[in-house]
Amino acid sequence: MNYRHGYHAGNFADVMKHVLLTALIKALCRKPAPFCVLDTHAGVGIYDLSGPQARSTGEWRDGIGRLLGTSPGADPVLDDWLDIVRHVMREHGGELFYPGSPALVSRLLRPGDTLTCCELHPQDQQSLKRLFRNTPAVSVHGRDGYEAITALLPPRHAKRGLVLMDPPFEQKDEFQRLAKAIITARRRFGTGIIAAWYPIKHRAPVRAFQNALKDAGQRNLLALELTLRPPLDPSRLNGSGMIVANPPFGFEDVARHALDVLRGHLGDEETAATVEWVVPE
């Protein structure tokens, strides 16, 4: 994959990830106690889909581009997320600007909730700091996201929350690093929800990743996947996955419905959506 994320912002994988992320945050909002969110690989926060990076790939056209015309209420499972996307675009004069995970989460926080963003790339880090310079509930750290799991967990000010891991998958051992990070996060923040995104090119790396978690004794792991085509070509991004540890009550059903709706909007006869327990509780 070509990373930085600006090349892929708003594509089908982003859409899937952000719809599910919105559902997780809304589940946390059901209880009055404050919660915290740690975004380990935050990016710039908001992406210009008319900019050179997004234009060079055009991936957003087959992602958010297919959903912008959806009428409010047509697919209620998408409404909270689409409301934020449209609000961000209105803030930018109706231009094609797309909220990444930090911008999305920040708009769902209530008084007392907090968001901590980690971004190692200096330019992206500065963009993120400018975006949240007047938002006290959001802090930005220029540090490695995996290192932050040890440094920043457990959170100081909340017993509930979510850790989102969305690494760039630039390294050959990224699946192994991600599995280790999930195990560490759960050990340090046992009451938290852990959500980790992963690419699906072919099945072998995904199976090895999930088996590593099972072999480490991890439980209560839900895998959510949207594949545009059979994952047989390791040179292509054939699908998008998210593994959720400690999913909140009712999330499985919400996620299954959301992925089925997205399959209808983003895919064709080859597209598949699955929600499966890697290891039950």
Side-chain angles (χ1 to χ4, degrees):
M1 294 176 66
N2 188 7
Y3 201 82
R4 295 155 68 203
H5 190 66
Y7 292 98
H8 313 292
N11 70 1
F12 82 96
D14 245 10
V15 167
M16 173 204 165
K17 175 179 61 185
H18 292 148
V19 169
L20 296 176
L21 174 61
T22 301
L24 288 170
I25 299 296
K26 296 297 287 187
L28 284 168
C29 289
R30 289 199 299 258
K31 295 182 179 180
F35 62 83
C36 65
V37 179
L38 171 61
D39 189 341
T40 63
H41 298 77
V44 302
I46 293 178
Y47 297 88
D48 181 2
L49 300 183
S50 64
Q53 291 182 349
R55 284 204 317 270
S56 70
T57 64
E59 291 182 14
W60 68 271
R61 297 182 184 278
D62 289 324
I64 182 58
R66 294 193 181 189
L67 290 159
L68 286 175
T70 304
S71 300
D75 293 311
V77 73
L78 305 181
D79 280 351
D80 289 326
W81 165 71
L82 274 174
D83 284 349
I84 294 172
V85 173
R86 289 168 175 148
H87 183 72
V88 167
M89 290 185 179
R90 287 195 298 271
E91 288 179 339
H92 289 83
E95 298 295 324
L96 290 169
F97 282 79
Y98 181 79
S101 54
L104 186 67
V105 171
S106 68
R107 284 163 170 77
L108 293 167
L109 298 178
R110 310 159 305 170
D113 301 331
T114 60
L115 167 63
T116 301
C117 303
C118 296
E119 177 52 53
L120 196 57
H121 191 285
Q123 185 177 343
D124 291 356
Q125 179 194 137
Q126 290 306 311
S127 296
L128 203 59
K129 287 182 176 180
R130 285 194 297 272
L131 179 64
F132 292 122
R133 61 184 179 274
N134 296 319
T135 312
V138 181
S139 59
V140 178
H141 294 244
R143 68 194 317 163
D144 176 77
Y146 289 135
E147 183 272 335
I149 290 168
T150 300
L152 301 178
L153 295 178
R156 295 180 181 179
H157 305 299
K159 295 181 180 180
R160 302 191 308 128
L162 167 70
V163 179
L164 174 66
M165 304 181 198
D166 179 21
F169 279 85
E170 296 176 297
Q171 306 297 325
K172 291 183 178 180
D173 66 343
E174 198 79 74
F175 271 112
Q176 294 95 313
R177 298 174 75 202
L178 184 58
K180 182 179 178 181
I182 291 170
I183 294 166
T184 301
R186 296 191 77 186
R187 185 176 67 246
R188 298 186 65 83
F189 189 25
T191 59
I193 303 165
I194 314 298
W197 179 86
Y198 56 88
I200 304 172
K201 295 183 177 181
H202 61 123
R203 276 290 164 205
V206 176
R207 282 197 298 266
F209 166 62
Q210 294 180 356
N211 286 336
L213 292 169
K214 287 193 286 187
D215 292 345
Q218 297 294 298
R219 302 191 65 80
N220 203 10
L221 296 173
L222 188 65
L224 314 120
E225 296 186 350
L226 181 68
T227 52
L228 297 185
R229 62 193 73 86
L232 303 175
D233 183 353
S235 68
R236 301 182 70 185
L237 180 63
N238 297 303
S240 173
M242 179 181 281
I243 197 159
V244 179
N246 300 335
F249 178 77
F251 176 72
E252 178 184 359
D253 292 336
V254 172
R256 182 172 284 108
H257 177 54
L259 292 185
D260 191 54
V261 168
L262 290 177
R263 180 171 59 87
H265 283 287
L266 304 179
D268 54 28
E269 65 277 0
E270 286 192 303
T271 303
T274 60
V275 177
E276 297 180 345
W277 288 97
V278 178
V279 186
E281 187 174 7

